[in-house]
Amino acid sequence: MSRDKCNVVVLISGSGTNLQALIDGAAAADADFNVCAVISNKAEAYGLTRARDAGINTVAVSHRDFADRESFDRALIEEIDRHQPGLVVLAGFMRILTPEFVRHYSGRLLNIHPSLLPKYQGLHTHQRALDAGDREHGATVHFVTEELDGGPAIIQARIPVEPGDSADTLAARVQIQEHFIYPMAVSWFARGRLRMLDDRVELDGEPLPRSGYTVTG
């Protein structure tokens, strides 16, 4: 028996390379999710062009039009909920979300972060990994909670740090892995295989380790 595809709303602020990976994943013959809308806080974000080219609904909601984060997030919730998503995905959405927003989508809000969380929450992760002399680096897909980049991990992609790596070369190799693991995590959720229980993640009814499911690039 076939099941309805999971409607996904994607939030972006920039060029949307992870968005493109999700669009490509949704276009696969066996896809179980559908990107039903892309919303950006920046009208000039190139990711909106990617979405329009794929025939996806796009909306720009500028945070500059609101007096504070709370009023912006309430407007964002209203816009997202018009599309009745089963899942909300952050793909380079450069806004710190309010607790009200996070609670509203608890258990159905995902983010991808360019580090092996809990290492290097926040910005400049690639340079920080190099400065620390790390031998491996990567990306983490996680559920979003009220702690910035602190929600439970779903899947991590790990790559070696090569001699002579710069922040740019490391970022480029990590991004390749991001484009692989993000559609995978969304597909798991769409199929009902993935869920968040309190501060941990279950895949197929079994708890995942704190670092999540691991793939090596």
Side-chain angles (χ1 to χ4, degrees):
M1 183 175 65
S2 63
R3 56 184 293 167
D4 292 337
K5 291 185 179 182
C6 177
N7 280 333
V8 177
V9 169
V10 183
L11 306 185
I12 64 166
S13 294
S15 65
T17 60
N18 272 308
L19 167 64
Q20 188 64 58
L22 293 168
I23 291 171
D24 293 345
D30 60 347
D32 33 42
F33 66 92
N34 170 58
V35 179
C36 63
V38 175
I39 302 173
S40 179
N41 64 312
K42 296 183 178 181
E44 70 277 12
Y46 182 67
L48 294 177
T49 299
R50 294 180 188 270
R52 286 191 290 266
D53 287 348
I56 298 168
N57 294 320
T58 62
V59 183
V61 182
S62 176
H63 58 279
R64 299 183 185 279
D65 293 340
F66 298 87
D68 50 40
R69 286 199 298 138
E70 288 75 15
S71 55
F72 170 69
D73 277 12
R74 284 194 290 270
L76 195 58
I77 288 171
E78 183 177 349
E79 183 57 47
I80 292 168
D81 286 354
R82 286 200 316 107
H83 303 280
Q84 299 182 317
L87 181 66
V88 179
V89 173
L90 309 179
F93 188 62
M94 302 304 289
R95 298 286 301 170
I96 295 175
L97 298 167
T98 58
E100 176 188 1
F101 185 98
V102 173
R103 286 193 295 267
H104 186 76
Y105 297 108
S106 179
R108 54 192 183 106
L109 181 61
L110 303 188
N111 184 45
I112 191 163
H113 184 73
S115 79
L116 298 175
L117 291 172
K119 281 189 172 183
Y120 314 129
Q121 296 165 310
L123 301 175
H124 311 301
T125 60
H126 311 301
Q127 188 61 54
R128 289 160 70 190
L130 291 172
D131 291 346
D134 290 353
R135 294 185 176 183
E136 64 176 5
H137 187 46
T140 307
V141 180
H142 64 96
F143 281 102
V144 177
T145 62
E146 293 180 35
E147 179 187 355
L148 179 64
D149 299 327
I154 298 165
I155 182 170
Q156 287 189 334
R158 295 172 176 262
I159 63 168
V161 177
E162 304 288 355
D165 259 332
S166 66
D168 288 342
T169 61
L170 195 53
R173 294 193 353 264
V174 167
Q175 193 173 71
I176 291 170
Q177 299 303 316
E178 291 179 15
H179 298 167
F180 174 66
I181 64 173
Y182 217 0
M184 182 185 297
V186 171
S187 179
W188 286 348
F189 186 93
R191 293 183 181 185
R193 299 178 58 193
L194 180 71
R195 63 176 179 164
M196 182 176 75
L197 290 175
D198 299 322
D199 64 345
R200 72 182 201 279
V201 176
E202 284 190 356
L203 180 64
D204 297 329
E206 296 295 329
L208 288 174
R210 289 291 178 182
S211 57
Y213 185 89
T214 299
V215 299
T216 303

